[in-house]
Amino acid sequence: AREKGVVAGMANFHCASARLHAENGDLSRALAEIDCGTELMTQAGEEMAYEPMLAVTRAHVLLTTRKHTTDEGTISDVIALLNEALDLLDGTGTTWIELEAAILLGRVVLDAGRPPDAARSSLKEIYGRIDEGLDRPRLQEARAVIAALDAV
């Protein structure tokens, strides 16, 4: 892979693999996949392209493997990862990845009973940039999360 110049693109593979391992309950393997993706991203000097996606994936993994957690440390870590991803993505034109992070942040904030203001603001701002395909499931989900955040 290194000889062919696809090292950075391997971060996508490791993110997908991490999510699958998390869904199967293997946290250590999922986190190892994220670490491998991070190492390849760093070797390729592609932090701007892959760091936000790796942060969102790490948050997703932590939530998936601890679905019913009330562990305040995990929730705080997940919120920090998602805010980091949103900061890194700001102004990059990657609206769909931003939307994924903002939806996940909104859901975490709602589930944890945290103040919703920042999550609601981020999600509304990102959703407001989309002007077509509003009937897509991901955008319907965004509207539902916004409504839930507004109700708090």
Side-chain angles (χ1 to χ4, degrees), residues 11-12 14-20 22 30-31 33-34 50-64 81-82 85 100 104:
N12 284 326
H14 289 287
C15 283
S17 181
R19 286 182 183 228
L20 288 173
L31 293 174
E33 289 292 338
I34 293 169
Y50 296 102
E51 193 170 14
M53 180 181 59
L54 286 158
V56 172
T57 301
R58 186 177 296 275
H60 175 80
V61 164
L62 290 173
L63 288 173
T64 301
L81 285 165
L82 294 169
E100 178 184 0
L104 190 53

Side-chain angles (χ1 to χ4, degrees), residues 128-152:
R129 287 189 255 142
I130 301 168
D131 58 5
E132 59 184 57
L134 298 177
D135 58 338
R136 290 182 177 176
R138 195 57 149 170
L139 296 174
Q140 292 171 356
E141 180 182 9
R143 283 193 300 277
V145 173
I146 288 169
L149 290 166
D150 283 343
V152 174

